[in-house]
Amino acid sequence: AFLSCFILDSVCWEVVGVVKLWNEWCRTTNATNVLPTDSFCLFYQLISDPTVLLCQCSCYVAEDQQFQWLEKVFGCMRKEGLQVTILSTCPVADYKTQESTLTLPSPFLKALKTKEFKEPVCCPLLEQPNIVRDLPAAVLSYCQVWQIPAVLYQCYTDVIKLDTITVEAFKPLLSSRVLKSLVKDVSESTKNLKKLLTTNETHNIYI
């Protein structure tokens, strides 16, 4: 939702690739029409600067599929001059701290970066013994091994259903060198976000 409203809607992108996956959590069809609502990984390219790529992953990548996913994706890119930014969310219950999670100002951002990433991060670093999981962790590990500058921004949230507060927790990233040039009108993007979440609202009736 953050990428759709603040990045993809503000500048001109085109879809240049797609990854279809099938596992016990993600079953995609062989449909030829690729829609963002389907369980795919879509790859966008900035029309004005083809060196800028964006991957929007809306499906679960199983552990035994992650290495192949990484080999396919990064195998198509030049590693020289490459920099990677990863955005992810997870439950605040996964955050390990000595203080009570009830007092934490959820949602909040934490960053984890590779040794080669020298730029300032937009939030505090993730403390030990916290860990990251799934595809974001695999991408960051791949970048560490191949000495690619990369940073992971993990949003810890206490809600299950997507809401504007959780999405807007990523707003500090808009000041980063990589993203600030991709956003044209933050106020308009905020309006688009509220429209998107209102459209996706479901109403339950209990009898």
Side-chain angles (χ1 to χ4, degrees):
F2 175 78
L3 293 176
S4 297
C5 294
F6 289 91
I7 306 297
L8 290 174
D9 280 354
S10 58
V11 289
C12 295
W13 301 80
E14 62 177 347
V15 177
V16 293
V18 59
V19 175
K20 298 181 181 181
L21 294 173
W22 194 99
N23 53 55
E24 62 271 19
W25 297 100
C26 168
R27 302 183 181 186
T28 59
T29 63
N30 292 322
T32 55
N33 295 325
V34 179
L35 299 175
T37 53
D38 293 330
S39 295
F40 296 115
C41 291
L42 285 177
F43 295 88
Y44 298 86
Q45 188 176 52
L46 187 61
I47 297 176
S48 60
D49 185 359
T51 64
V52 180
L53 294 174
L54 188 150
C55 173
Q56 196 170 33
C57 190
S58 59
C59 57
Y60 173 74
V61 182
E63 291 184 358
D64 58 344
Q65 297 175 319
Q66 291 172 6
F67 179 77
Q68 186 181 12
W69 190 96
L70 292 165
E71 287 291 304
K72 290 288 186 182
V73 172
F74 284 96
C76 300
M77 301 179 187
R78 291 184 57 185
K79 294 182 175 61
E80 297 79 9
L82 181 63
Q83 181 170 315
V84 178
T85 301
I86 311 157
L87 308 184
S88 179
T89 58
C90 70
V92 71
D94 291 346
Y95 183 67
K96 295 178 176 61
T97 177
Q98 293 182 347
E99 58 183 297
S100 173
T101 54
L102 295 176
T103 61
L104 292 175
S106 179
F108 58 92
L109 279 179
K110 292 290 182 177
L112 194 61
K113 61 188 181 72
T114 62
K115 183 179 179 181
E116 288 71 24
F117 189 85
K118 304 300 183 183
E119 297 183 12
V121 294
C122 302
C123 65
L125 293 174
L126 186 64
E127 310 91 339
Q128 294 182 349
N130 287 286
I131 60 173
V132 293
R133 298 184 177 89
D134 302 324
L135 187 60
V139 174
L140 196 66
S141 298
Y142 182 94
C143 293
Q144 178 68 28
V145 171
W146 286 95
Q147 299 180 341
I148 299 171
V151 58
L152 164 65
Y153 289 105
Q154 182 110 294
C155 177
Y156 290 89
T157 179
D158 58 357
V159 297
I160 299 176
K161 184 180 177 182
L162 186 66
D163 63 350
T164 56
I165 299 176
T166 300
V167 176
E168 289 183 344
F170 286 103
K171 268 189 173 182
L173 275 60
L174 299 178
S175 62
S176 66
R177 183 187 64 83
V178 175
L179 296 183
K180 65 181 179 181
S181 61
L182 303 179
V183 181
K184 302 302 179 185
D185 190 344
V186 175
S187 60
E188 187 64 28
S189 298
T190 303
K191 293 179 183 178
N192 293 337
L193 172 63
K194 293 179 179 179
K195 290 180 181 179
L196 174 65
L197 296 182
T198 302
T199 303
N200 292 337
E201 281 184 353
T202 56
H203 302 279
N204 297 323
I205 301 177
Y206 297 92
I207 300 178

